Every structure is written in C-alpha cells, then in structure tokens.
C-alpha cells in the first residue's frame, strides 16, 4: 500500500529536495513567505493517500497576509473570499444549490478526501509567482507520477492551461480527468461555469463505491456562515502531525 511517508522518502533522495530545504531556510529567514513553513504540506497532512478522492490543482499560493494556508484556493475563516474561490462557490451553487456564505476555509473538503495543491508551494509576500522555481516543478511532477501509479478511483480537476499542461503525466485508466477553464474572473465564463465537475466527480466516485457527501458539507457550511466572524482557534490551525515538520 502506497503512502505519503513512502512518497516523501522517495523525494528526499532526489537532488532537488536538498535545494528546496536550502531555499526555504534562506527565504523564511529573511523574508515574509506564505504559507507558514509548517503548512507547506498541509494537504498531505489532511488527506491520507488511502482516503484521497479528488485532486484540484492550483498554481501559486495567495501572496497577501492572512490568506495562504497550504491548501489551493482556500483561505482562513476570517479572510475575504478571493475572486476565484467565489466562482468555485458559484459553480457549487449551480450544481448543488450550496450557499457557502463567507467561509473560505476548504478544510471541510480536505476532510472528505479532496487534495488541494498548488504547483508552486510557497510565495513571497506581495509578489505573485516569486517562487516559481524548477525544484517545485520537479516535486509536483513526481507527486503526479506517484499518484498515477495508484490503482484506485481518483478524480483530477484541471482548471486552466497551467493545470492542463500536466495532463501527459496522468495516464491511469482508473482515474477520471476533468478539464475546464480556470475559475478566475478572467476566464470563468469561458468554460468553468457550467462545467459540472463536482457532479461528474461525485457520479464517478459513486460508481466506484465512493462519494462526496454534499448534504453534510452544506450543513457544515451553514453552521460557519451563521457564526459570528472570529479568529481561527488554535486547534483549527495547529499542525497536529509533527512528522511533517521534519520534512521542511
């Protein structure tokens, strides 16, 4: 049985891994970098490989304060919804009638097996794409190759040309590949809205004995929507698995 621990043992032997560690040591020491160092691999911590159902690929972490949390497209409870996330919520509403309110924390999706990963793992404050380094590209390609060898039902959502560029690495017949425009306001009306990716993903998972429970998600979101806006609790943000700190 494959696991993330096995995956990281493999990548730690690659030359690019040491380069990434050196890069993190310098960047986090001298600059403001997002997400926090302990959250670089947040998706790996929240979604065990044997629970993974869906992979959604982003590109660059949010580069303004109180946004990036190591999950692509997700922001903490107290943050204003970014435009792309607003459009993701609009598509969920079109497909399932979900009203997600102002809660941009997608941890609830991760808890259901949705892996939210940016191809670029970190970013300097106020500087989009500032960490577009080759080491991250090599790491992400190894991540996809590792998943491509997993013979279990997995749905990949490729939104926009950047995500679609990784399509040649996805060849497993047990996996479902969904492609559309990016949810950015600049492209959402060119094929993201109405793509029905969430419905198609759920139909595929149900056909393979799995499912996303959107009814439960709606209850969760309604709770957060009706709560007074507040700072995340220590429990909500704390890194529970100290193993991951050893990797970065």
């Amino acid at each position: 049985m494959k696991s993330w621990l096995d995956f990281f043992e493999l990548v730690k032997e690659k030359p690019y891994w040491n380069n990434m560690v050196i890069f993190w040591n310098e960047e986090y020491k001298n600059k403001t970098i997002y997400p926090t160092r302990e959250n670089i691999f947040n998706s790996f911590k929240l979604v065990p490989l044997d629970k993974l159902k869906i992979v959604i690929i982003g590109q660059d972490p949010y580069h303004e304060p109180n946004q990036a949390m190591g999950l692509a497209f997700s922001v903490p409870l107290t943050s204003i919804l970014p435009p792309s996330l607003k459009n993701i919520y609009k598509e969920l509403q079109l497909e399932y009638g979900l009203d997600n309110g102002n809660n941009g924390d997608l941890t609830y999706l991760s808890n259901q097996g949705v892996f939210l990963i940016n191809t670029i793992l970190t970013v300097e404050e106020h500087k989009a794409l500032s960490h577009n380094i080759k080491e991250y590209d090599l790491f992400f390609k190894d991540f996809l190759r590792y998943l491509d060898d997993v013979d279990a039902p997995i749905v990949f959502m490729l939104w926009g040309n950047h995500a679609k560029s990784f399509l040649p690495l996805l060849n497993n017949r047990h996996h479902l590949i969904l492609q559309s425009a990016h949810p950015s306001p600049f492209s959402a009306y060119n094929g993201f809205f109405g793509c029905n990716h969430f419905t198609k993903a759920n139909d595929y998972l149900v056909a393979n004995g799995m499912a996303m429970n959107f009814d439960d998600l709606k209850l969760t979101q309604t709770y957060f929507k009706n709560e007074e806006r507040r700072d995340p609790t220590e429990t909500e943000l704390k890194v529970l698995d100290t193993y991951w700190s050893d990797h970065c």
Side-chain angles (χ1 to χ4, degrees):
M1 172 68 71
K2 287 177 173 285
S3 71
W4 294 137
L5 297 184
D6 292 337
F7 169 69
F8 276 93
E9 289 303 317
L10 289 172
V11 299
K12 283 172 65 178
E13 300 301 318
K14 300 291 185 75
Y16 68 74
W17 180 263
N18 285 335
N19 292 339
M20 287 200 305
V21 172
I22 293 171
F23 179 74
W24 293 328
N25 288 341
E26 288 299 315
E27 292 294 294
Y28 279 94
K29 178 181 178 181
N30 300 309
K31 303 173 184 176
T32 299
I33 305 300
Y34 301 124
T36 58
R37 188 160 180 169
E38 62 267 23
N39 279 334
I40 292 175
F41 297 119
N42 204 12
S43 279
F44 292 92
K45 291 181 285 186
L46 293 175
V47 187
L49 182 54
D50 62 349
K51 303 296 183 184
L52 189 149
K53 300 175 183 177
I54 297 172
V55 177
I56 298 178
I57 299 173
Q59 182 173 6
D60 200 33
Y62 298 123
H63 55 269
E64 296 302 326
N66 304 313
Q67 289 187 310
M69 52 188 296
L71 304 175
F73 298 105
S74 182
V75 293
L77 291 173
T78 53
S79 295
I80 296 173
L81 295 184
S84 291
L85 182 54
K86 284 184 180 179
N87 287 337
I88 292 170
Y89 280 180
K90 286 180 182 178
E91 178 60 25
L92 273 169
Q93 187 169 34
L94 286 172
E95 295 185 39
Y96 285 95
L98 297 180
D99 181 3
N100 292 286
N102 294 318
N103 173 23
D105 186 347
L106 300 181
T107 302
Y108 76 100
L109 285 178
S110 296
N111 290 338
Q112 289 248 352
V114 180
F115 200 96
L116 303 158
I117 184 169
N118 287 307
T119 61
I120 301 170
L121 297 177
T122 58
V123 68
E124 184 179 346
E125 185 178 39
H126 309 315
K127 296 183 179 180
L129 299 174
S130 54
H131 284 184
N132 188 15
I133 59 175
K134 65 179 181 180
E135 286 80 5
Y136 284 161
D137 183 63
L138 293 171
F139 172 85
F140 186 74
K141 287 177 178 175
D142 278 345
F143 162 76
L144 291 183
R145 292 188 187 101
Y146 193 79
L147 286 186
D148 200 53
D149 285 336
V150 176
D151 286 333
I154 300 175
V155 180
F156 289 85
M157 296 185 182
L158 310 182
W159 297 340
N161 291 332
H162 177 71
K164 292 176 187 177
S165 70
F166 297 97
L167 183 61
L169 299 176
L170 303 175
N171 302 292
N172 192 311
R173 63 183 179 85
H174 296 285
H175 300 167
L176 175 66
I177 313 300
L178 300 174
Q179 303 181 64
S180 78
H182 193 276
S184 162
F186 298 105
S187 56
Y189 287 96
N190 294 325
F192 179 75
F193 289 139
C195 68
N196 292 313
H197 277 192
F198 300 104
T199 302
K200 292 175 181 177
N202 200 49
D203 289 347
Y204 179 78
L205 293 171
V206 168
N208 286 277
M210 307 163 68
M212 290 291 295
N213 193 331
F214 283 98
D215 288 335
D216 282 354
L217 295 181
K218 187 173 183 179
L219 290 172
T220 302
Q221 290 296 74
T222 300
Y223 169 80
F224 280 119
K225 184 184 68 172
N226 292 334
E227 284 287 287
E228 184 178 349
R229 301 281 279 185
R230 58 178 175 78
D231 291 332
T233 66
E234 181 179 355
T235 301
E236 287 168 336
L237 296 181
K238 184 179 180 181
V239 177
L240 300 177
D241 187 351
T242 56
Y243 169 85
W244 296 99
S245 64
D246 295 335
H247 287 293
C248 60

